[in-house]
Amino acid sequence: MNASASELPVIVIGAGPVGLAAAAHLADQGLEPLVLEAGRTAGAAVREWAHVRLFSTWSEVVDPVAEKLLAPTGWTRPDPAAHPSGGDWADLYLQPLADALGDRVRYGARVTGVSRAGRDRIVDADRHQQPFAVHITHAGGGEERLLARAVVDASGTWSGPGPAGAGGLAALGEKAAADRVTYRVPDLRDPAVRTRYAGRRTAVIGSGASAFTALAHLADLAKSHDGTGTKAVWVLRRGISGSTFGGGRADQLPARGALGLAAKAAVDGGHADAVTGFRTEAIERDPDGRLILTGEDGRRLEPVDEVIVLTGFRPDLSFLDELRLDLDERLQAPVGLAPLIDPNQHSCGTVYPHGHRELAHPERDVYLVGMKSYGRAPTFLAMTGHEQARSVAAALAGDLESADRVELTLPETGVCGGAGLFDDPGPAQSGGDGCCAPAPGLIRLGASTAAEGDAGQNPAGGCGA
């Protein structure tokens, strides 16, 4: 890159937890960051789940270099052992950090395309000598083209929730049922939202922490004075085993383990029925307007009033189409990182340390960090993104010794049976350490049928965080 291009800013896409951490690390390295945020505030996506409490503590969700940047403002970190809600995280940390960065953060700026200036993805000639051209659309509709020496995409995956359809496509009728389908954990503190679910029968599709949270919230609603008759139907594509409900007391993040135990309590307490081995193919309406989920095996569930789909998220890669990215064909994560986080292969153990080298692409000086770097993999933690930001900033500053000195230790989870193994009966029959889930049983479990095993009794080694 020529000298004039090297004086350009590093554009960071997204003013979320990892984007702001990246900006702090870039500034600490003497580079000039420019953060482009589509929303009107810092942490705009986080604010959409403001009511959900993190299973990480404040000590694990504040970046050390960001904290150093905040120190002169008089900012002090909340109780390190406390668990913030999404709203706490945004209000008490992300917005103050963005404020400390000042005019290095621009709001209402949505990135619509990134390329090499004057070079589409076909052109080789002098490609890496050209700066990046970043096209943005402002909240008022105006367009702008900015030049950058490097691009760090920390835009996350919040805008790309997975569908109810088990094949990765929307189930037949899913879009037509949009008035009764949501892809977020509902905020039952909101009177209008509470009324929507109180006394109703709701299907919850998904098997991760978000599904656990939704089940626990619906169970609390069912036990409240205004929630009589509230019932959840938990729709799982796999069977139920001791690992279904997470690591429980074996989880090194206790709040994360508690989520699984709360979901188990919802089933055991009769507030949720679990339907296993069910892959949604269609969503139909009965004559009363209620929804009927139909499975690929022909099963039809009893009508429900609402459907909550919590099947993960997907990265939006559309605005990066003119860049030469090397992404795993399954996870849509950088190929150097994908083998380390692929749930088809790594259902157990911790996430291996990784930094700028695993995040690199054929297009130099472009990095996907944070949730977006994991593509469709579900095991991301904030501290992973902070370490990514540190390594990438050091690499862009030319400090490869620091960039390569990756320091990442993630808590083990106790969760076993990767999402990619639910179709494979082989591991389930091994009878070994119990690390993988058994083959799904096409049965329906009522509250009287407890899940097999104790979620807190998984092998000590645990599984991927």
Side-chain angles (χ1 to χ4, degrees):
M1 188 175 291
N2 57 48
S4 59
S6 66
E7 297 173 358
L8 294 170
V10 176
I11 284 185
V12 178
I13 305 174
V18 179
L20 292 174
H25 280 275
L26 288 165
D28 190 59
Q29 288 284 353
L31 301 177
E32 187 61 27
L34 175 59
V35 182
L36 301 177
E37 167 58 47
R40 294 179 295 178
T41 62
V46 174
R47 293 178 189 279
E48 293 192 27
W49 49 270
H51 59 291
V52 177
R53 192 160 299 280
L54 281 72
F55 48 65
S56 297
T57 63
W58 274 111
S59 67
E60 296 157 335
V61 298
V62 173
D63 178 83
V65 170
E67 187 170 10
K68 184 173 73 172
L69 179 65
L70 281 164
T73 70
W75 184 87
T76 56
R77 182 169 56 183
D79 179 1
H83 296 270
S85 66
D88 295 335
W89 203 16
D91 289 336
L92 303 181
Y93 168 61
L94 299 179
Q95 192 61 57
L97 177 55
D99 293 343
L101 288 164
D103 59 8
R104 291 165 167 168
V105 181
R106 295 187 189 177
Y107 301 107
R110 181 176 298 278
V111 174
T112 58
V114 182
S115 71
R116 288 283 183 176
R119 307 288 189 276
D120 63 26
R121 76 186 284 165
I122 298 176
V123 179
D124 290 334
D126 299 323
R127 183 175 191 85
H128 295 301
Q129 302 306 312
Q130 306 304 314
F132 291 95
V134 179
H135 287 222
I136 62 176
T137 300
H138 294 286
E143 295 181 302
E144 186 178 3
R145 177 177 180 265
L146 301 174
L147 298 180
R149 62 174 292 173
V151 175
V152 178
D153 184 357
S155 59
T157 58
W158 181 251
S159 63
L169 302 176
L172 299 177
E174 183 172 344
K175 294 178 181 178
D179 60 319
R180 297 202 176 192
V181 178
T182 184
Y183 300 87
R184 313 290 190 226
V185 177
D187 183 0
L188 298 181
R189 302 172 306 174
D190 183 321
V193 176
R194 193 174 183 87
T195 299
R196 176 175 175 174
Y197 294 95
R200 303 292 183 88
R201 184 176 174 85
T202 299
V204 178
I205 304 175
S207 59
S210 294
F212 292 166
T213 301
L215 290 168
H217 287 185
L218 289 170
D220 287 341
L221 177 59
K223 291 181 282 187
S224 68
H225 70 279
D226 61 341
T228 303
T230 303
K231 187 78 171 184
V233 179
W234 188 17
V235 181
L236 295 124
R237 295 170 183 169
R238 294 187 284 179
I240 282 189
S241 72
S243 66
T244 299
F245 298 96
R249 297 176 184 86
D251 199 322
Q252 291 185 24
L253 289 176
R256 180 173 56 186
L259 282 177
L261 295 177
K264 185 176 186 298
V267 174
D268 292 348
H271 304 298
D273 292 333
V275 181
T276 64
F278 190 92
R279 304 179 194 178
T280 306
E281 182 178 71
I283 299 178
E284 305 171 2
R285 287 187 188 267
D286 71 4
D288 296 325
R290 303 179 80 199
L291 303 181
I292 299 173
L293 273 59
T294 301
E296 292 181 349
D297 59 1
R299 281 185 294 166
R300 294 165 60 85
L301 302 187
E302 294 180 13
V304 296
D305 301 289
E306 301 285 343
V307 177
I308 302 173
V309 181
L310 300 168
T311 56
F313 294 89
R314 301 165 176 193
D316 177 8
L317 301 167
S318 61
F319 60 86
L320 303 177
D321 196 48
E322 291 303 322
L323 299 179
R324 298 176 178 180
L325 303 183
D326 199 1
L327 300 174
D328 180 76
E329 61 184 9
R330 294 162 298 171
L331 294 185
Q332 297 178 295
V335 292
L337 175 61
L340 310 183
I341 60 175
D342 188 350
N344 287 287
Q345 304 295 329
H346 294 283
S347 61
C348 295
T350 57
V351 175
Y352 294 104
H354 64 276
H356 74 107
R357 295 194 185 277
E358 290 81 5
L359 298 170
H361 294 280
E363 196 76 71
R364 297 177 196 168
D365 298 332
V366 170
Y367 296 94
L368 276 58
V369 298
M371 271 296 300
K372 192 161 187 177
S373 72
Y374 271 44
R376 299 191 183 197
T379 53
F380 182 81
L381 291 174
M383 62 184 80
T384 305
H386 296 161
E387 176 59 20
Q388 291 176 342
R390 186 202 65 77
S391 178
V392 166
L396 289 174
D399 185 357
L400 293 184
E401 180 181 356
S402 176
D404 288 336
R405 192 175 61 249
V406 178
E407 301 170 358
L408 176 65
T409 302
L410 294 177
E412 294 185 2
T413 173
V415 175
C416 300
L421 300 177
F422 72 91
D423 279 329
D424 183 4
Q429 297 167 356
S430 66
D433 62 4
C435 195
C436 299
L442 301 183
I443 58 174
R444 178 170 178 179
L445 296 179
S448 61
T449 306
E452 296 178 4
D454 183 345
Q457 299 297 319
N458 286 301
C463 298

